[in-house]
């Protein structure tokens, strides 16, 4: 099996000229290049072309001379496209960050509201605790029975608007 060999156009042309010159001198050294088994891959233009013969290899790709600065314009357009893609990505990230800031600000407000409500509830719990401690101190001494109007005022204080939710929540009506 023959090993595949890749050569440039200039190498093929040089070998073809050298083979033509050697053909006149020595016929038994090397086999000249024949157009039948030669396949040339022309990669000089925007598209790759397969050539089966050497005809037209000296022509410029696509049959016309390349425009001056064509590579420069291609590279410039490539950089513009890359910059546009990068700007689009950065803009999407910026918009996502702005939306996230809005969501986090709303979460912060909701949490601040919950903290304030929790602190108010703790304040009410402490108020109920102090009232119940006063009641316990009065009831724990069996020698002194507290007057009924004092007990009634303590339960009215527990049933007031300030402690209405907790009165129901803890079932303080059962104490009365």
């Amino acid at each position: 099996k023959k090993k595949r060999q890749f050569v440039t156009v200039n190498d093929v042309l040089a070998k073809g000229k050298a083979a033509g010159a050697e053909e006149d001198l020595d016929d038994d050294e090397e086999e000249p290049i024949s157009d039948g088994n030669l396949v040339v891959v022309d990669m000089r233009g925007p598209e790759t072309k397969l050539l089966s013969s050497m005809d037209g290899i000296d022509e410029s790709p696509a049959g016309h001379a390349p425009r001056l600065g064509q590579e420069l314009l291609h590279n410039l357009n490539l950089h513009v496209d890359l910059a546009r893609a990068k700007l689009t990505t950065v803009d999407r990230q910026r918009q996502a960050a702005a939306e996230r800031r809005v969501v986090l600000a709303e979460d912060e407000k909701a949490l601040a509201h919950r903290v304030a409500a929790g602190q108010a509830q703790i304040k009410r719990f402490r108020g109920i605790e102090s009232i119940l401690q006063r009641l316990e101190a009065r009831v724990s001494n069996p020698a002194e029975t507290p007057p009924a109007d004092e007990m009634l005022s303590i339960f009215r204080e527990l049933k007031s608007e300030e402690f209405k939710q907790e009165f129901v929540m803890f079932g303080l009506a059962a104490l009365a």
Side-chain angles (χ1 to χ4, degrees):
K1 183 177 175 180
K2 263 188 170 179
K3 186 176 180 182
R4 197 174 270 188
Q5 183 181 12
F6 296 98
V7 292
T8 65
V9 173
N10 293 334
D11 293 341
V12 171
L13 289 175
K15 190 174 182 181
K17 288 179 185 176
E22 288 176 13
E23 189 177 286
D24 296 336
L25 301 175
D26 263 340
D27 281 344
D28 31 310
E29 267 186 34
E30 234 181 64
E31 188 176 309
I33 298 174
S34 66
D35 289 345
N37 64 357
L38 179 70
V39 176
V40 177
V41 180
D42 185 5
M43 299 177 70
R44 294 178 292 168
E47 298 176 0
T48 303
K49 297 177 187 171
L50 291 176
L51 303 175
S52 59
S53 69
M54 297 288 287
D55 297 335
I57 198 137
D58 288 332
E59 295 177 11
S60 64
H64 59 79
R67 293 189 336 236
L68 184 63
Q70 187 175 7
E71 288 180 21
L72 178 63
L73 288 174
H74 171 74
N75 290 341
L76 186 61
N77 286 334
L78 184 64
H79 283 290
V80 167
D81 291 342
L82 290 173
R84 182 178 294 130
K86 189 180 270 188
L87 284 173
T88 303
T89 302
V90 168
D91 187 50
R92 279 193 212 126
Q93 290 173 347
R94 184 192 58 80
Q95 287 176 350
E99 290 172 3
R100 182 158 171 83
R101 277 193 299 274
V102 167
V103 168
L104 289 175
E106 290 172 0
D107 287 349
E108 181 184 22
K109 285 180 185 177
L111 288 174
H113 179 70
R114 286 180 62 190
V115 166
Q119 287 175 341
Q121 190 175 30
I122 288 173
K123 184 179 176 184
R124 288 191 310 270
F125 286 171
R126 288 190 178 141
I128 289 174
E129 180 184 28
S130 69
I131 293 171
L132 291 176
Q133 284 175 351
R134 250 188 4 210
L135 178 64
E136 182 183 17
R138 294 293 289 159
V139 175
S140 65
N141 189 356
E144 279 185 43
T145 306
D149 37 327
E150 184 180 339
M151 295 294 283
L152 184 62
S153 70
I154 290 176
F155 278 105
R156 280 188 184 151
E157 191 177 351
L158 285 173
K159 202 173 178 181
S160 69
E161 281 298 315
E162 183 180 0
F163 305 117
K164 188 175 185 178
Q165 287 179 336
E166 288 76 13
F167 190 82
V168 173
M169 184 187 314
F170 295 125
L172 297 177
L175 283 177

